[in-house]
Amino acid sequence: MKLKLTELHPLMQEYLHELHVLRQLSPHTLKAYGMDLSDLQNFALEDNVELLKVSNGHVRRWAGRLHSKGKSSRSIARALSAWRGWYDWLTEKDARRDARAGKVTSNLIANPVDDVKAPKRLRSLPKALSVEQALALVNQAVKEAEEKKDLESIRDAAIIDLLYSSGLRLSELLGIDVMQSKNRQHESAGWLDWNAAEVTVLGKGGKRRSVPVGVPAMKSLATWRELRDAGNYSEESIALFLSATGKRLSPRTVQARLRTLAMRAGLPTHVHPHMMRHSFASHVLQSSQDLRAVQEMLGHASIASTQIYTSLDFQHLAQAYDKAHPRAKAGKG
């Protein structure tokens, strides 16, 4: 039976009281620490181990039990932190038990929680559109641009085409100028090389990279530029993507327009700009299997950041297998 917090070991209660008084921890945090210490005490009781004689091996075993009970890596890390903090406190305090005074001796030589780590958190996979969904979204934007022929629709088609064509971050996309500029007033963060069909952007860590732009996206961009250049904008408006007032487009506007277009394209999910980047990476990797090339195009400093897309690629293959192979579902259900 699980202990109540009021049944905690006296030294645990003293530790929590000290955290409350000296460190001013919130009631919510103190309650969480109390539950974690209660787990520690329960494990010790179950294994008939004195709390003050717990070993490193005991702690590792009990962390494993937390994991087997379905606790997340975050929860286990917090529990280990609470346990480690209590044993550190005992070691520093070097409390001594005196039968008449009611004090308790720790007699700890080392903290048994030292070097015990929680299981690695499972990195959540980025959400990406399928190839069919991505094309449906791009085609919807191009279709509306051709039908409406207005500034917003043509601009949106160019934006979505470029996001999917080159895997840019939203901040990188919005930093692009019509052409490279460097003077006292302004230095371009990014720009398009119209002849080379290439976009140069300023990524994380202040690192520049150049990424190719596909033919359909260049066509959409050229259509937008023609309309943009014909507009009554200030000469200072050097940004490639402008609002109706001639200012550099805001992230919120792109997010809202993309969400609306996705709904009109019938996509069954909330679509945001970074999802287009994930889709670009996943789809290029599916076709080329060239992880290094995808790393360079995304501007990842480490190949480890790019490797997560191999999981998306495997998911894609597994789904295709389940749908296509006659024996894929044999024995299921």
Side-chain angles (χ1 to χ4, degrees):
M1 184 175 179
K2 195 156 189 174
L3 291 167
K4 296 179 182 178
L5 294 186
T6 53
E7 298 172 340
L8 283 176
H9 190 286
L11 281 173
M12 289 182 171
Q13 293 191 38
E14 186 180 345
Y15 173 62
L16 292 174
H17 178 72
E18 195 165 302
L19 290 179
H20 171 64
V21 174
L22 298 182
R23 291 180 54 186
Q24 300 287 302
L25 295 187
S26 69
H28 176 77
T29 301
L30 287 171
K31 183 178 179 181
Y33 271 42
M35 296 301 295
D36 292 331
L37 292 175
S38 176
D39 283 336
L40 172 63
Q41 187 168 333
N42 278 313
F43 286 140
L45 284 171
E46 289 170 8
D47 288 3
N48 197 27
V49 179
E50 290 184 33
L51 275 170
L52 304 182
K53 294 183 179 179
V54 168
S55 69
N56 188 268
H58 290 126
V59 173
R60 291 180 186 279
R61 190 185 313 142
W62 297 340
R65 284 187 199 170
L66 289 176
H67 186 264
S68 66
K69 289 180 178 181
K71 294 281 188 180
S72 68
S73 295
R74 186 188 296 272
S75 296
I76 297 173
R78 189 198 66 196
L80 289 173
S81 176
W83 300 356
R84 187 179 295 109
W86 183 60
Y87 280 114
D88 274 342
W89 177 79
L90 285 177
T91 304
E92 292 169 6
K93 186 180 180 65
D94 193 28
R96 302 185 180 280
R97 182 176 181 83
D98 184 295
R100 285 171 293 183
K103 294 181 180 179
V104 184
T105 301
S106 69
N107 291 328
L108 285 173
I109 299 175
N111 191 327
V113 192
D114 282 349
D115 301 324
V116 182
K117 297 180 181 179
K120 288 185 178 180
R121 296 179 191 173
L122 291 176
R123 190 173 180 183
S124 57
L125 294 178
K127 292 183 178 179
L129 299 173
S130 67
V131 173
E132 294 76 17
Q133 289 174 330
L135 291 178
L137 177 56
V138 173
N139 291 337
Q140 178 69 28
V142 172
K143 176 185 173 184
E144 291 192 15
E146 292 173 348
E147 291 177 350
K148 297 180 180 179
K149 300 187 187 311
D150 65 333
L151 183 145
E152 283 190 345
S153 298
I154 293 174
R155 179 200 64 201
D156 293 348
I159 287 174
I160 292 174
D161 232 339
L162 182 56
L163 282 173
Y164 183 49
S165 175
S166 302
L168 305 182
R169 299 180 177 93
L170 179 56
S171 59
E172 294 169 348
L173 176 114
L174 296 178
I176 298 172
D177 290 340
V178 176
M179 59 186 67
Q180 185 177 12
S181 172
K182 186 176 181 180
N183 52 50
R184 291 181 180 178
Q185 287 76 34
H186 176 76
E187 180 177 355
S188 298
W191 59 87
L192 263 166
D193 185 328
W194 297 89
N195 294 322
E198 189 175 80
V199 61
T200 298
V201 294
L202 187 65
K204 287 185 177 180
K207 295 181 179 178
R208 291 196 189 278
R209 72 180 188 283
S210 295
V211 187
V213 182
V215 173
M218 285 302 300
K219 182 180 177 181
S220 294
L221 287 163
T223 303
W224 159 244
R225 183 181 181 182
E226 185 178 347
L227 184 64
R228 177 201 177 285
D229 290 350
N232 187 25
Y233 298 122
S234 164
E235 291 183 2
E236 297 176 358
S237 300
I238 193 171
L240 176 60
F241 297 114
L242 301 170
S243 67
T245 58
K247 296 181 180 179
R248 192 178 293 271
L249 206 58
S250 72
R252 286 197 174 191
T253 298
V254 177
Q255 291 163 350
R257 298 289 291 177
L258 185 56
R259 184 168 58 249
T260 301
L261 274 165
M263 291 173 62
R264 289 206 285 260
L267 300 191
T269 184
H270 166 64
V271 179
H272 52 81
H274 216 66
M275 190 180 287
M276 301 302 291
R277 176 174 163 86
H278 295 322
S279 303
F280 159 85
S282 178
H283 300 167
V284 171
L285 189 59
Q286 286 172 22
S287 300
S288 69
Q289 299 297 313
D290 191 336
L291 198 61
R292 286 291 179 186
V294 174
Q295 177 192 2
E296 290 182 16
M297 286 188 282
L298 291 177
H300 286 161
S302 168
I303 193 71
S305 299
T306 316
Q307 283 174 330
I308 194 168
Y309 294 105
T310 62
S311 298
L312 286 177
D313 190 29
F314 178 79
Q315 280 190 340
H316 166 78
L317 293 173
Q319 289 168 0
Y321 176 85
D322 283 343
K323 289 180 180 178
H325 198 285
R327 295 284 293 173
K329 298 182 180 180
K332 292 185 179 179

